[in-house]
Amino acid sequence: MATPAQLGLMDAASPVMEEMIYFHDHVMLVLILITCLIFYSMLVLMFSKYIYRFLTDGHVIETVWTVIPAIILVVVALPSLKLLYLTDELDNPQLTIKSVGHQWYWSYEYTDYYDIEFDSYMLPIGDLVGGDARLLEVDNRVVLPVDTSVRVLVTAADVIHAWTVPALGLKMDAVPGRLNQLALQCSRVGTFYGQCSEICGANHSFMPIVIEAVPVDVFESWCDGMLDSD
Amino acid sequence: MADDTEKTWGPKHFIQNTPCARNSFLYGMGGGAVGGFAYFLWTSNPRRSYHALMISFTATVLLYWVPCRYQYAQKRIKQRMINRGLKTHIAMQGTPEAELLASAQEPGSKS
C-alpha cells in the first residue's frame, strides 16, 4: 500500500505492473530531457542580445522542430502500444473470479469449481486493530493463489464503479449490464489494497478492495474454510 | 504492513533507483562536457559551445539509455523464462512426464 506522502508508483506485484514502471521510467527520461532543453532555451533567449523585428519564417528550423518531436512521439508510442496490448493479454487463466460492485461494497464469486460467494465491506474505524489501515481494510478479502493466472470479470449491480488495485496495475470500470475482463497474476505473496475509482454515491470512498496473494495450499485451505462456513 | 518506510519521489530517487539512469546521466554529462569543449576548441565561440554542450548531453544520454534499456528488457524476459522453467521443473519432478522429457533430452535419443 502507499506510504505517507508517497508520490511515486507502488512496488510492482505483477509482471504487467513491472512493465508499467519500466515504461514510466522511459517516458520520464524523455520528459526530463525535453524539460532540460526548454529551460536551456529560455535561459539563452533571456540573455540574448539579438533582435530582428522582421523575422517571418525559417524553413530549416521549422522542419527540425517538426521532425524531432515526431521522432520523440514514435519513441514513446511504440512501447506504450506494446504495454497497452500486454495489459489485455490473457495467459490461459487457471481461475476466474467475478467482482460485482454495489453501493457501497464489493461482492466476489469463485464459481469455477465450487460456489464461493461473499461480500466485502469496509471495516469501520471502531473495528480496526493495531496495524490496520484506516478506510482500506475489509471484512472479507479476495484471496488468490500466487503465480497463478487469474481472470477477473468485473461488473456492477447498480451504478458504475471501478475495481482498482494499483500495486498490480489493475483498473477496470464496473458497468451495470456489462462484463469487463481483467488479467491478473500476483508474482509475490502479500496484501494489496485498492479503492473504488468511479464516483458512485455518498460512500464512494468507503468501498475498498483488498487482495491477499497466498501460496496455493493456503488458498486451498481458505476455499475449504469458505465452503465449510457456508 | 509492508513498505513502512516513507517514500518520496524526486530526481535523486529516479537516478538512484531506475536501471540505466545513473550511467546515462553520468555519460551524458561527460559527453556534453567533451562535446562542448571540443566545439569551443574548434570555433572559439563560447555561445555556440554551450549549445553544442546541450546537444551532446542530450544525444549521449539517449544513445546510452535506449540500448541499455533494450538489453535490460531482454535480460528481464530471459530471467522470467528461466524462472518459469525452473518452477515447472520443480513442480514436475518425479512425475512420469518429467522422466519422459528427461529421457528425450538425453544425447543420442530421438526426440
Side-chain angles (χ1 to χ4, degrees), chain A residues 3 18-19 22 40 147, chain B residues 3 51 69 76 80 87:
Chain A
T3 51
E18 285 176 30
E19 294 299 322
Y22 297 137
Y40 178 70
D147 271 336
Chain B
D3 296 333
H51 299 341
R69 293 293 289 198
R76 209 164 62 229
R80 282 195 194 129
K87 281 178 186 166

Side-chain angles (χ1 to χ4, degrees), chain A:
Chain A
M1 59 180 290
T3 51
Q6 179 172 337
L7 295 175
L9 296 167
M10 288 194 205
D11 291 340
S14 73
V16 168
M17 186 59 190
E18 285 176 30
E19 294 299 322
M20 286 188 187
I21 292 173
Y22 297 137
F23 175 70
H24 166 267
D25 295 339
H26 171 67
V27 175
M28 188 55 63
L29 183 96
V30 173
L31 293 178
I32 288 172
L33 288 178
I34 292 171
T35 308
C36 288
L37 279 172
I38 290 173
F39 274 127
Y40 178 70
S41 306
M42 284 163 63
L43 260 172
V44 166
L45 285 169
M46 271 198 306
F47 295 106
S48 171
K49 292 173 190 159
Y50 297 125
I51 297 173
Y52 181 42
R53 289 192 299 146
F54 305 104
L55 183 68
T56 53
D57 53 35
H59 295 294
V60 173
I61 193 168
E62 285 175 10
T63 307
V64 167
W65 71 35
T66 305
V67 169
I68 289 181
I71 294 172
I72 292 172
L73 285 175
V74 169
V75 164
V76 169
L78 287 180
S80 170
L81 286 169
K82 187 161 188 228
L83 183 60
L84 183 67
Y85 284 97
L86 188 72
T87 57
D88 277 343
E89 239 177 59
L90 212 55
D91 182 23
N92 288 328
Q94 292 145 307
L95 180 67
T96 299
I97 66 171
K98 294 176 204 91
S99 163
V100 184
H102 305 259
Q103 283 179 312
W104 290 279
Y105 65 98
W106 294 94
S107 65
Y108 300 99
E109 299 168 24
Y110 294 58
T111 49
D112 270 357
Y113 306 107
Y114 300 101
D115 262 337
I116 298 176
E117 299 176 12
F118 56 92
D119 297 335
S120 181
Y121 281 84
M122 184 189 84
L123 278 183
I125 293 175
D127 291 353
L128 295 176
V129 296
D132 282 351
R134 191 179 70 94
L135 306 185
L136 284 176
E137 300 289 351
V138 296
D139 52 1
N140 297 312
R141 295 174 169 184
V142 180
V143 178
L144 292 173
V146 73
D147 271 336
T148 305
S149 181
V150 176
R151 177 198 279 124
V152 182
L153 297 172
V154 183
T155 186
D158 35 47
V159 298
I160 300 180
H161 302 266
W163 199 77
T164 307
V165 185
L168 300 168
L170 300 174
K171 184 178 288 189
M172 184 56 76
D173 276 0
V175 181
R178 181 184 171 91
L179 273 181
N180 283 328
Q181 179 175 267
L182 266 176
L184 185 163
Q185 182 168 355
C186 304
S187 42
R188 56 184 170 97
V189 294
T191 311
F192 311 112
Y193 297 86
Q195 292 175 292
C196 179
S197 301
E198 186 68 39
I199 187 76
C200 53
N203 286 344
H204 154 69
S205 310
F206 308 113
M207 47 182 297
I209 299 125
V210 182
I211 291 184
E212 196 171 331
V214 296
V216 175
D217 52 345
V218 176
F219 174 72
E220 287 172 358
S221 307
W222 174 82
C223 289
D224 291 338
M226 292 298 285
L227 288 167
D228 289 341
S229 65
D230 284 344

Side-chain angles (χ1 to χ4, degrees), chain B residues 11-47:
Chain B
K12 187 180 165 195
H13 177 272
F14 175 76
I15 290 174
Q16 276 180 344
N17 296 317
T18 306
C20 300
R22 183 175 167 270
N23 279 351
S24 291
F25 278 100
L26 286 174
Y27 280 116
M29 287 190 280
V34 164
F37 188 61
Y39 192 89
F40 178 72
L41 288 177
W42 188 259
T43 60
S44 299
N45 188 331
R47 192 180 182 79

Side-chain angles (χ1 to χ4, degrees), chain B residues 7 22 31 35 37 47 58 65 67 69 71 81 104 106 111:
Chain B
K7 285 186 181 176
R22 183 175 167 270
F37 188 61
R47 192 180 182 79
T58 309
W65 172 266
R69 293 293 289 198
Q71 284 164 10
M81 284 168 65
E106 274 169 12
S111 57

